[in-house]
Amino acid sequence: MNRKEFIKNIFGVAAIAGIAGSCKDHRSNSIKGSIIGASSNIGHIIRDGKTTDSPSEIIKKDIVIVGGGISGLSAARHLQANGITNFLLLDLEKEVGGNAKSGKNTISAFPWGAHYIPVPNNNLTEYLDFLQECGVVKNINENTLPEYNEAYLCFNPEERLFINGQWQDGLIPHFGVPEKDTAQISAFLNKMNEYRYAVGADKKEAFAIPVNESSNDNAFTLLDTLTMQEWMLTNKFTSSYLHTYVNYCTRDDFGTPHNKISAWAGIHYFAARKGKAANATYSDVLTWPEGNGFLVNKLQAAILPQIKTSSLVTKITPQADKVLVAYFDVAANKNIIIEAAQCIVAVPQFIASRLLNDDERKAAVKKDFHYSPWMVANIKTNELKQKPGAPLSWDNVMYGSDSLGYIDATHQQLQVYKTKRNLTYYLPLCTKDPVTERKLAQNKTHADWVKLIMDDLKKVHADIETQTEEINVMIWGHAMIQPLPGYISGKSRAVLARSVNNNVHFAHTDIAGISIFEEAFYQGLNAAKKIIQQGIKNKG
Amino acid sequence: MTKKETSAQWILLIAVFCIATCGLIYELVAGTLASYLLGDSVTQFSTIIGTYLFAMGIGSFLSKYFNSDILRWFIRIELLIGLIGGFSSALLFLFFPLVTSFRIILYLLVLVTGILVGLEIPLLMRILKDKIEFKDLVSKVFTFDYIGALLASVVFPLVLIPHLGLIRTSLFFGIINIAIGWYLAYYFAAQIKRAAVIKFTAILLLIIEVVAFVFSDNIMSYSESLAYRDNIVYATSSPYQRIVITKNKRELRLNLNGNLQFSSADEYRYHEALVHPALASVADLKHVLVLGGGDGLAVREVLKYPSVKKIKLVDLDATMTKLFSSQEILIRLNGASLQNKKVQIINEDAFLWLNANTEKFDAVVIDFPDPSNFSIGKLYSTMFYTLLKKVLNPDGVAVVQSTSPFVAPKSFWCINNTIQSAGFLQSHITIMFLPLVNGATSLQVLTPICIGLQLILPV
């Protein structure tokens, strides 16, 4: 810095202090973009009463799948693979994918939600078959270990954490962390590793995927009676660094802070991953620029003709020998009823209960099912100034931030030089209770979100406001189920997961217990299996 | 008080004024220069000012040891300040690119100047103490001292730096210091021993500084040329890198982002070793792929094989390939290889190009920069070598520049392991101890650098 610049900077600081926030607001406002998605316009159709018109058409199908998230797509794929093709999958949005939705601009594709899968556990045969079908698993080696496609294994550098004024490598705090805290952190991780390989009296894994395959041994299920924070404190884990880290983890996977999440679910986050591979370990992840949108495209590839988007299901009526599914076709602007033999309801229970108009189900959902709201933003930016330490990574987290930081969607691109990037910023809205947070989020403008994001990221990228070209924001009102204490081991989700009338089957991660790709995949698969088995029975 | 004594008193007070101005200027010059060269101006200015004031204290303390010929000492000190202060910025500019411990020289210079300046006022007050009443003396000396400081602090940023620059500013005040010394020696010649010697010294120093003042531009450019020790004949920035070509009597050099890529004096050793062992081992050599190497030097070697029908050169930087196919001096170096009809230039990212490519080649020459960061590291990954395998004909061969097994053995063996894990059956390693010009020192000495080349044969 020369003398002139030095003086200019001093004046600059004074000017900013003097004018306070006003000029900053102005700059944030000039970043273009909008709040995207959450098809409220379609939702308004119900509100405006258009769907009460009598149906203009009645069609017949063997099976209807309601909802095109991973559960619904997985069910459809499994039916198709078993030669059952006379089905229709209905989704309210313009594109299927649910939480794994993705977008695209001139720089790259980017995720709008779920953006990676961990290296799968080896007992998930059907799931591994699917991944092999997609080219994610290249082959199975002589030791029966899957070899993953290197293009999809997250490239180095994978993760970094901004802590004590510097970016450190990896997310577990260590830079500038006192020795007694690092000792507690490694003791905690050792404990998690014990749980990883723990087996209950019933010979089942303590923490399995799917959750329903886990041991019913009291030694483990009792963990579902207290919160993660309570469990940590009773086990003498007091380090604030450790608590901040664990709180980051539970917000990351469940959108729920560690003082609310069930300890069983919290430990499941650390202990359930045990996948072995020829060229990766259980802590590695597979990712794509478009996140799990990549897997969405693979799931729907074979069933495109049977997918009907922009279709709002309004009512599901189970009858003795058939199911009536009423939906509003937005494009054609008409009400249609499908008469089907079977129906798979692959939507969350708070919607399913309304579609079925079942008061008992509604009451149970209201009492036991809580969903966390999220905000996800995609930031289109030029190269940013970096603080010292580890270089820009795939996952970039700031210690102690309310947000989960951002992932670099361009990370898996192969080219050496990049001048622009898409950064996907994740914020679970969990400071207050979900209902309040949802209301607060609905009242925020695009400029409000931009300011919130910029204020958070300015700490690590001084020039982000001037380098950002566009920010688009998506609000997920009910992004994922919250496994609060008692939810996983409680009766409610098991009861609501039961098929109705033997012809309405449920598939969703809320009844699975936790919102992860594998759960959704098996929810769909199992619902499809129920139908396939019945088909065999009928024929017999 | 006689008239003569009154005027002597005023001359000495004007000297105080000039001395104070010069003293502060040297301090500001050192502070600014340190900020320019080292950055972080707050730290530089604080530590320079602190050191300077402390050194002045040392000077004041030492003043009590000057007991005779005080006026003569005073004039000598003037001349010495003029010499050291005057050349201070020129010296610092020259030393900066040459020494590793620049700060030691910087603070040593500040310390010496400060001590000498610190001697001035106490000595002068002692010279004047019998001529003026004490309370008047203190009042006048310090008044002139502080006015001089004010003048310096105003003219330095507003007039001197914009119009004279740092080197000339310090030389200008060196000249003033010496001129004062000379004038005092001339005026008080009767009161000092061997005044002629001092006057002669003063005139000699004056001439030296005036000459330096006139030729200061050359000092500046010489200093800059020390960073690149030769003349820069071409410099440009592409979207990907800073390209600088330097030249001396013997050789031409290419620097990318400040790193020496080749010297025309010995690049043939590298490029011959890179190309020939690989290409000579291919029986039916027709199609050759060169990845990286936008300078066309590897291509020049490939063109020596008459059987070669087609060469594809994939280099991201169009600025590089254009430069090496349009500049006369560079075309002479690569033998116009890039204009050859057999050569097709593709300015694309090598990884993406390779990923999309379906053509097969008999030989692939890979000449990428060392894997010094994560993004370049991708070009040395299993994935990359797997793609490479796909483009090679069964009897084909590839060669990879794989850093120095001497300087960076870990990188070298890591690349070797990666190549093998990508399923290449054999990876003959040709380690060549190539004496190449070492770009890291400024000495014109040939030191051996070892570059590892890996010959790859597919399964």
Side-chain angles (χ1 to χ4, degrees):
Chain A
M1 192 190 293
N2 63 27
R3 205 177 165 77
K4 212 171 184 178
E5 277 170 5
F6 172 71
I7 290 166
K8 215 163 72 186
N9 282 359
I10 286 180
F11 277 108
V13 169
I16 288 164
I19 308 166
S22 63
C23 73
K24 277 186 284 177
D25 281 354
H26 175 73
R27 223 188 307 175
S28 298
N29 278 334
S30 69
I31 293 174
K32 66 175 180 182
S34 57
I35 300 178
I36 286 178
S39 294
S40 52
N41 52 338
I42 302 181
H44 289 167
I45 292 166
I46 315 185
R47 194 188 62 188
D48 300 341
K50 278 190 184 173
T51 58
T52 55
D53 302 348
S54 55
S56 55
E57 205 180 319
I58 297 177
I59 54 175
K60 287 195 174 183
K61 286 279 166 192
D62 284 351
I63 301 154
V64 177
I65 299 168
V66 180
I70 302 301
S71 301
L73 290 172
S74 167
R77 174 183 164 273
H78 195 68
L79 290 175
Q80 183 88 2
N82 284 275
I84 300 172
T85 55
N86 187 22
F87 64 84
L88 203 58
L89 185 150
L90 302 172
D91 196 281
L92 138 94
E93 300 287 340
K94 286 197 195 78
E95 273 159 29
V96 293
N99 276 7
K101 200 188 300 281
S102 62
K104 201 177 170 152
N105 60 18
T106 51
I107 300 162
S108 71
F110 47 79
W112 273 122
H115 58 283
Y116 72 96
I117 52 170
V119 163
N121 292 354
N122 300 62
N123 58 340
L124 304 176
T125 326
E126 298 94 337
Y127 180 45
L128 283 164
D129 287 347
F130 162 63
L131 293 178
Q132 192 158 11
E133 187 182 301
C134 313
V136 174
V137 171
K138 265 165 62 180
N139 64 282
I140 307 290
N141 77 359
E142 62 273 23
N143 303 321
T144 68
L145 292 178
E147 187 197 328
Y148 292 97
N149 191 329
E150 281 212 19
Y152 307 145
L153 276 170
C154 183
F155 297 154
N156 274 330
E158 191 174 317
E159 299 161 330
R160 62 172 181 169
L161 175 70
F162 187 75
I163 181 167
N164 294 322
Q166 193 165 327
W167 287 106
Q168 64 152 61
D169 196 29
L171 296 183
I172 300 166
H174 61 78
F175 178 76
V177 177
E179 212 166 297
K180 63 174 182 18
D181 293 84
T182 47
Q184 266 199 27
I185 291 172
S186 43
F188 174 83
L189 295 174
N190 285 341
K191 185 80 188 159
M192 294 301 115
N193 209 38
E194 275 172 35
Y195 278 131
R196 189 185 330 276
Y197 302 108
V199 175
D202 51 5
K203 299 270 162 40
K204 288 169 125 186
E205 288 174 64
F207 297 92
I209 296 172
V211 161
N212 289 347
E213 300 298 317
S214 305
S215 168
N216 285 318
D217 193 328
N218 259 348
F220 307 115
T221 51
L222 278 176
L223 292 166
D224 197 36
T225 58
L226 71 172
T227 69
M228 189 64 181
Q229 189 187 44
E230 286 163 353
W231 179 84
M232 287 173 75
L233 294 175
T234 37
N235 284 273
K236 307 265 186 320
F237 292 117
T238 52
S239 159
S240 69
Y241 282 101
L242 177 60
H243 277 263
T244 306
Y245 171 63
V246 172
N247 188 33
Y248 156 79
C249 295
T250 61
R251 288 182 302 130
D252 184 41
D253 239 30
F254 310 112
T256 310
H258 82 315
N259 61 4
K260 287 190 188 147
I261 199 84
S262 145
W264 193 93
I267 294 169
H268 188 274
Y269 171 90
F270 293 98
R273 307 281 176 202
K274 32 208 140 183
K276 289 190 186 118
N279 57 346
T281 67
Y282 63 76
S283 58
D284 287 322
V285 301
L286 294 149
T287 189
W288 304 266
E290 66 271 45
N292 292 0
F294 173 88
L295 299 170
V296 169
N297 289 332
K298 299 290 181 185
L299 278 173
Q300 67 171 336
I303 50 161
L304 283 173
Q306 291 110 303
I307 292 177
K308 235 183 134 354
T309 52
S310 297
S311 298
L312 170 67
V313 174
T314 53
K315 200 171 182 191
I316 300 170
T317 318
Q319 295 179 348
D321 54 345
K322 61 180 186 243
V323 188
L324 301 179
V325 177
Y327 79 95
F328 178 69
D329 183 329
V330 178
N333 194 24
K334 61 183 180 185
N335 286 295
I336 298 168
I337 284 184
I338 309 174
E339 208 182 288
Q342 300 276 345
C343 175
I344 294 174
V345 182
V347 294
Q349 284 296 321
F350 79 94
I351 296 173
S353 60
R354 281 182 223 159
L355 296 179
L356 287 161
N357 202 18
D358 175 344
D359 288 336
E360 223 172 293
R361 188 173 286 270
K362 280 186 201 164
V365 169
K366 198 170 181 202
K367 184 168 154 283
D368 296 320
F369 284 57
H370 304 278
Y371 300 86
S372 67
W374 282 62
M375 186 276 279
V376 179
N378 270 293
I379 305 166
K380 182 180 167 192
T381 170
N382 297 308
E383 287 292 16
L384 297 171
K385 261 189 202 152
Q386 297 290 338
K387 294 272 184 189
L392 179 65
S393 305
W394 171 64
D395 194 6
N396 305 272
V397 178
M398 290 107 72
Y399 180 82
S401 167
D402 280 345
S403 79
L404 302 170
Y406 60 85
I407 60 126
D408 173 10
T410 67
H411 186 77
Q412 292 297 108
Q413 286 184 322
L414 297 177
Q415 63 257 46
V416 173
Y417 293 96
K418 296 167 196 168
T419 51
K420 289 186 189 210
R421 291 177 195 266
N422 286 312
L423 307 179
T424 311
Y425 178 91
Y426 291 87
L427 178 70
L429 303 171
C430 60
T431 316
K432 301 190 176 73
D433 68 282
V435 178
T436 315
E437 288 284 4
R438 237 166 258 142
K439 275 185 194 146
L440 287 172
Q442 274 156 12
N443 290 330
K444 279 203 169 83
T445 63
H446 178 258
D448 292 338
W449 290 115
V450 167
K451 184 175 180 329
L452 184 147
I453 297 163
M454 290 291 113
D455 286 349
D456 190 31
L457 294 181
K458 259 194 293 195
K459 291 173 231 154
V460 290
H461 302 293
D463 60 342
I464 189 152
E465 281 179 310
T466 50
Q467 296 305 321
T468 298
E469 291 182 0
E470 188 174 343
I471 298 180
N472 291 303
V473 174
M474 192 175 291
I475 307 296
W476 298 91
H478 299 75
M480 51 174 68
I481 189 73
Q482 293 188 301
L484 306 181
Y487 181 74
I488 301 267
S489 58
K491 274 194 192 134
S492 215
R493 78 183 173 93
V495 169
L496 298 201
R498 280 181 206 146
S499 300
V500 175
N501 246 6
N502 236 355
N503 54 16
V504 174
H505 314 282
F506 298 98
H508 196 267
T509 54
D510 60 353
I511 50 174
I514 61 171
S515 176
I516 59 174
F517 191 92
E518 293 95 318
E519 294 285 0
F521 182 86
Y522 278 97
Q523 283 286 321
L525 190 86
N526 290 335
K529 274 184 181 169
K530 282 182 190 168
I531 290 174
I532 294 163
Q533 274 162 11
Q534 285 193 22
I536 291 162
K537 242 185 275 167
N538 289 346
K539 272 176 200 160
Chain B
M1 201 181 280
T2 65
K3 199 179 174 191
K4 169 112 181 159
E5 277 205 334
T6 317
S7 64
Q9 175 197 325
W10 278 107
I11 282 165
L12 286 168
L13 284 172
I14 288 166
V16 169
F17 173 75
C18 296
I19 287 162
T21 315
C22 296
L24 193 67
I25 293 284
Y26 299 139
E27 186 181 335
L28 292 172
V29 163
T32 310
L33 222 140
S35 308
Y36 267 135
L37 297 176
L38 302 174
D40 190 4
S41 53
V42 175
T43 311
Q44 303 308 343
F45 266 98
S46 306
T47 51
I48 294 285
I49 289 171
T51 310
Y52 195 84
L53 289 176
F54 176 66
M56 281 174 72
I58 298 174
S60 304
F61 172 78
L62 292 176
S63 69
K64 71 175 176 184
Y65 297 108
F66 293 84
N67 290 324
S68 54
D69 295 332
I70 297 176
L71 189 57
R72 188 157 188 268
W73 272 115
F74 180 76
I75 295 169
R76 280 165 146 180
I77 287 166
E78 275 311 282
L79 297 184
L80 208 55
I81 295 175
L83 181 68
I84 294 173
F87 279 105
S88 61
S89 54
L91 282 175
L92 290 173
F93 266 118
L94 286 174
F95 273 121
F96 182 65
L98 292 181
V99 296
T100 42
S101 47
F102 174 72
R103 280 187 175 82
I104 293 176
I105 291 175
L106 172 71
Y107 287 103
L108 207 65
L109 211 59
V110 169
L111 204 69
V112 171
T113 319
I115 290 172
L116 293 172
V117 171
L119 279 167
E120 285 179 320
I121 300 292
L123 290 182
L124 200 78
M125 284 176 78
R126 279 165 59 192
I127 294 166
L128 289 170
K129 75 170 192 301
D130 303 324
K131 299 186 167 82
I132 316 173
E133 192 189 347
F134 185 70
K135 66 172 185 188
D136 254 6
L137 173 68
V138 174
S139 150
K140 278 182 179 154
V141 166
F142 284 106
T143 306
F144 279 92
D145 184 24
Y146 291 131
I147 292 174
L150 176 69
L151 180 73
S153 65
V154 173
V155 296
F156 181 77
L158 298 180
V159 182
L160 299 173
I161 291 302
H163 293 288
L164 291 182
L166 276 169
I167 293 181
R168 280 194 179 146
T169 297
S170 50
L171 281 169
F172 179 73
F173 282 88
I175 291 168
I176 291 180
N177 262 132
I178 294 166
I180 289 169
W182 172 81
Y183 185 74
L184 292 179
Y186 165 80
Y187 193 88
F188 295 106
Q191 296 173 39
I192 1 177
K193 289 179 195 162
R194 284 177 284 149
V197 179
I198 287 189
K199 276 192 276 182
F200 176 75
T201 316
I203 287 168
L204 192 71
L205 290 176
L206 218 52
I207 291 168
I208 293 172
E209 294 222 354
V210 169
V211 169
F213 185 84
V214 173
F215 292 102
S216 67
D217 280 348
N218 299 37
I219 299 177
M220 191 74 187
S221 62
Y222 180 67
S223 153
E224 277 176 351
S225 77
L226 285 176
Y228 288 113
R229 64 168 176 267
D230 309 324
N231 291 330
I232 296 173
V233 291
Y234 191 89
T236 186
S237 288
S238 78
Y240 313 107
Q241 55 201 344
R242 175 85 182 149
I243 303 168
V244 174
I245 295 165
T246 64
K247 188 179 185 268
N248 62 26
K249 281 178 213 142
R250 207 169 60 89
E251 59 182 344
L252 195 73
R253 290 177 176 209
L254 171 70
N255 296 276
L256 297 180
N257 292 335
N259 299 319
L260 177 66
Q261 300 300 302
F262 71 75
S263 152
S264 62
D266 59 12
E267 55 77 17
Y268 69 91
R269 294 178 187 166
Y270 171 72
H271 290 105
E272 285 178 0
L274 178 72
V275 171
H276 298 309
L279 267 59
S281 69
V282 181
D284 189 18
L285 186 69
K286 286 196 186 99
H287 295 175
V288 179
L289 174 65
V290 179
L291 300 174
D295 51 30
L297 298 171
V299 174
R300 177 193 66 200
E301 297 304 317
V302 176
L303 283 166
K304 289 178 180 167
Y305 293 80
S307 67
V308 170
K309 295 223 160 52
K310 195 168 66 181
I311 301 171
K312 287 203 172 180
L313 170 74
V314 182
D315 190 296
L316 179 61
D317 199 346
T319 317
M320 271 287 282
T321 50
K322 267 187 204 137
L323 192 65
F324 279 82
S325 49
S326 61
Q327 291 290 319
E328 189 52 41
I329 191 167
L330 301 172
I331 290 173
R332 236 180 291 147
L333 196 61
N334 63 24
S337 63
L338 297 182
Q339 286 130 304
N340 193 293
K341 276 183 190 140
K342 290 179 181 173
V343 179
Q344 187 192 346
I345 298 170
I346 300 152
N347 292 121
E348 276 181 46
D349 185 279
F351 210 139
L352 294 182
W353 184 87
L354 206 59
N355 200 17
N357 170 68
T358 50
E359 214 177 328
K360 296 256 182 186
F361 296 90
D362 304 311
V364 183
V365 177
I366 300 174
D367 192 11
F368 291 139
D370 288 346
S372 53
N373 63 42
F374 281 109
S375 42
I376 297 177
K378 283 180 195 167
L379 300 173
Y380 291 82
S381 62
T382 318
M383 244 177 103
F384 184 83
Y385 294 128
T386 310
L387 286 177
L388 180 65
K389 218 170 90 180
K390 277 199 282 183
V391 307
L392 265 185
N393 274 327
D395 301 327
V397 65
V399 56
V400 180
Q401 188 287 111
S402 36
T403 77
S404 160
F406 181 63
V407 177
K410 271 192 190 163
S411 309
F412 179 83
W413 288 110
C414 178
I415 295 167
N416 184 249
N417 286 338
T418 314
I419 287 170
Q420 301 208 7
S421 78
F424 281 93
L425 184 65
Q426 282 168 299
S427 167
H428 295 296
I429 302 165
T430 317
I431 299 176
M432 307 210 172
F433 289 87
L434 300 170
L436 293 175
V437 174
N438 188 343
T441 76
S442 57
L443 303 170
Q444 297 281 340
V445 177
L446 290 177
T447 53
I449 293 184
C450 176
I451 300 232
L453 302 168
Q454 309 211 359
L455 275 179
I456 309 174
L457 300 171
V459 178

